[in-house]
Amino acid sequence: MGEGELSIDPWSSTQSTDYSRIIEQFGLSDFNNLTLPNPSHLHRRGIIFAHRDLDVVLEAQKIGDNFGVLTGLMPSGRMHLGHSMVIEQVKWFQDLGGDVTIAVADLESQATRGISLQKGREIALREYVANYAALGLAPSSTNVYFQSTRSAVQRLGFQLGKRTNLSEFESIYGFKGDTNLAHFQAPMVQVGDILHPQTEDYGGLRPIVVPVGVDQDPHLRLTRGIAAKSNWFNLKANNGPGVLIGLSVQDENAELLGQQPNGRIDKSKVAEIFTKVVSSLTELGFSDINSNPKQGTIVVPGATKKDLTSIRIKLLELERRLGGMGLLSPASTYHHFAVGLTGQKMSSSKPKTTIFLNDDIATITKKIKKAYSGGQSTIEEHRRLGGNPDIDVAYQYMMYFFEQDDNYLAEINSDYRNGKVLAGEMKQLCIDKATDWMSNHIELRDQTEHLVDDFLAPDSK
Ligand code: TRP
């Protein structure tokens, strides 16, 4: 890691909130060029602030193609408001037509937190899935599974281990010689989680989006790199117009390409495969295709950046027919972390920093009353100088969780800034909204309790 560079450690208890630097350093995309159908409050308020390849998923959605959503949870403690943000996003994608897969990271939790598989299962069902039901996920298109019982995930993680190495783990995660191997195994299982929904047994090739907190981006970088390295065909937009396709020779296709012990490949076999590429591209409507098996390249002069995804998917389909894995890099979205009630990081191991989804109203009221405030120290000063909603937890929680109405928020935001609304009043507004939200949530949880089992995939009942 270079000097002055940021690192993201998914296991750390601290987390950088320098989001624009994160975007820049890790090559995330912002939302400036995307139009979202029916944006949720998390989108409208910039809480979901960055993505990778979300355009691929939105395009599939727009033209009615299949797409999937996958996320995962670590069953280690109680579910709190911060966790609910991911589920809100999953629900948003589900409402747009995506199928949903949720990994219970019981292997990761066992290896990195010392939680037994039995205990992990109990926590997942009681704390998490029960709340997913209440948050409105539809059981008919949701599959919750356990890492420990889905061998396809474990196999994929193991198999793809050959596409990465120690140096890459060092550079992505900052691992050293004394890092225990569970921290290598857990990300590889997560790679399996993220990629397996596109295998034939779990829904087949389609774009998969992974909504997560930005602390999980290292795993996405790892997964995307691994998927790209496994691809038999590379493609990129040419410098001028056109798209350039190359062939990647690797162990998996060496026999198909008639590779000799000296490394040379059989040009006639390449020509055969290129004929298949050309016919795949013709199906997309391209007629002008320059295939050059001797050089190992194909150029589609009439294609542009906009065609990259459809070409990529055609090539992955072909790769699969030829015996390859045909893995599409996952898309992802990232949200800001809500500040903890105390002004520090929200954490399930510090109950005062957060509101749990099974806290009762009295507890919630008490917690919000004590929350970190953006008000001035005396009423007189507050009236004169105004408060700061950007750091006021009560305001922030209405914005993140409890208040749907943007106009109302804008109003109390400016009333707070100009001193019209006092810090105590802001807390009371938040308590009222939180009470409504939680009462409704408790009622929904009672109503949907019987559905918990329906969320479980057949291999996880
Ligand atoms: N590592 C994640 C966490 O700490 C849990 C997880 C496991 C996950 N598999 C995943 C998240 C796949 C997203 C996608 O919370």
Side-chain angles (χ1 to χ4, degrees), residues 221-450:
R221 270 180 271 141
L222 176 70
T223 308
R224 288 168 57 90
I226 286 176
K229 279 177 257 175
S230 78
N231 290 166
W232 291 8
F233 302 100
N234 306 318
L235 69 163
K236 58 173 190 218
N238 237 344
N239 281 335
V243 165
L244 177 71
I245 298 167
L247 183 64
S248 156
V249 182
Q250 38 186 265
D251 289 354
E252 284 65 22
N253 57 24
E255 197 180 322
L256 184 77
L257 296 171
Q259 195 172 32
Q260 301 296 311
N262 66 6
R264 213 168 282 152
I265 55 174
D266 184 338
K267 294 275 145 89
S268 68
K269 302 243 160 132
V270 176
E272 257 173 57
I273 290 173
F274 276 24
T275 307
K276 291 184 178 154
V277 172
V278 171
S279 87
S280 281
L281 297 175
T282 311
E283 285 169 29
L284 287 177
F286 295 106
S287 48
D288 181 16
I289 302 167
N290 308 329
S291 169
N292 190 339
K294 281 217 177 81
Q295 253 180 29
T297 56
I298 298 175
V299 177
V300 194
T304 66
K305 266 202 178 121
K306 281 216 318 260
D307 303 308
L308 278 175
T309 299
S310 54
I311 295 178
R312 178 164 285 126
I313 290 193
K314 274 285 174 204
L315 294 175
L316 293 174
E317 281 167 0
L318 174 61
E319 182 189 319
R320 289 182 182 205
R321 286 201 299 279
L322 295 171
M325 300 178 83
L327 297 174
L328 179 64
S329 278
S332 50
T333 60
Y334 305 95
H335 57 79
H336 286 175
F337 292 103
V339 63
L341 285 163
T342 52
Q344 281 110 15
K345 194 193 173 213
M346 191 187 277
S347 160
S348 30
S349 57
K350 298 189 187 113
K352 286 189 183 132
T353 65
T354 190
I355 291 174
F356 295 108
L357 293 190
N358 58 9
D359 274 346
D360 57 32
I361 306 278
T363 309
I364 296 171
T365 305
K366 217 185 304 158
K367 284 181 173 180
I368 296 174
K369 279 197 176 141
K370 287 200 182 133
Y372 187 80
S373 157
Q376 305 293 345
S377 42
T378 66
I379 292 184
E380 189 275 322
E381 251 181 54
H382 191 92
R383 294 276 185 227
R384 189 159 51 85
L385 302 170
N388 181 359
D390 300 336
I391 56 166
D392 190 274
V393 171
Y395 175 80
Q396 292 289 315
Y397 278 35
M398 283 192 266
M399 176 174 96
Y400 271 77
F401 308 115
F402 304 132
E403 180 54 59
Q404 287 295 325
D405 185 342
D406 293 345
N407 294 328
Y408 173 79
L409 268 182
E411 217 174 280
I412 57 172
N413 185 309
S414 84
D415 285 352
Y416 199 52
R417 273 186 212 286
N418 65 30
K420 213 154 130 199
V421 169
L422 298 173
E425 290 169 339
M426 187 64 99
K427 285 186 177 170
Q428 192 53 50
L429 293 174
C430 181
I431 288 169
D432 294 346
K433 298 286 174 184
T435 303
D436 285 353
W437 190 93
M438 194 52 93
S439 311
N440 183 46
H441 185 74
I442 291 169
E443 196 178 317
L444 287 170
R445 200 168 46 217
D446 288 345
Q447 280 169 20
T448 54
E449 203 186 347
H450 64 288

Side-chain angles (χ1 to χ4, degrees), residues 66 99 195-208 320:
N66 291 336
D99 60 87
L195 292 174
H196 91 284
Q198 52 172 304
T199 62
E200 298 311 318
D201 289 346
Y202 291 94
L205 182 58
R206 66 202 186 291
I208 302 291
R320 289 182 182 205

Side-chain angles (χ1 to χ4, degrees), residues 153-170:
V153 162
Q154 300 162 22
R155 248 184 286 138
L156 201 54
F158 197 106
Q159 182 183 6
L160 290 169
K162 71 179 287 194
R163 305 286 176 186
T164 179
N165 58 33
L166 201 50
S167 307
E168 189 176 30
F169 272 69
E170 254 175 59

Side-chain angles (χ1 to χ4, degrees), residues 10-11 70-74 103-105 108 113 145 147 189-190 193-194 210-212 215-216 219:
W11 296 280
L70 176 132
T71 193
L73 65 111
M74 178 99 102
V104 177
E108 179 178 4
R113 303 267 170 96
Y145 73 92
Q147 287 178 331
V189 175
Q190 188 154 340
D193 286 330
I194 293 172
V210 186
V212 280
D215 66 314
Q216 298 293 304
H219 301 314

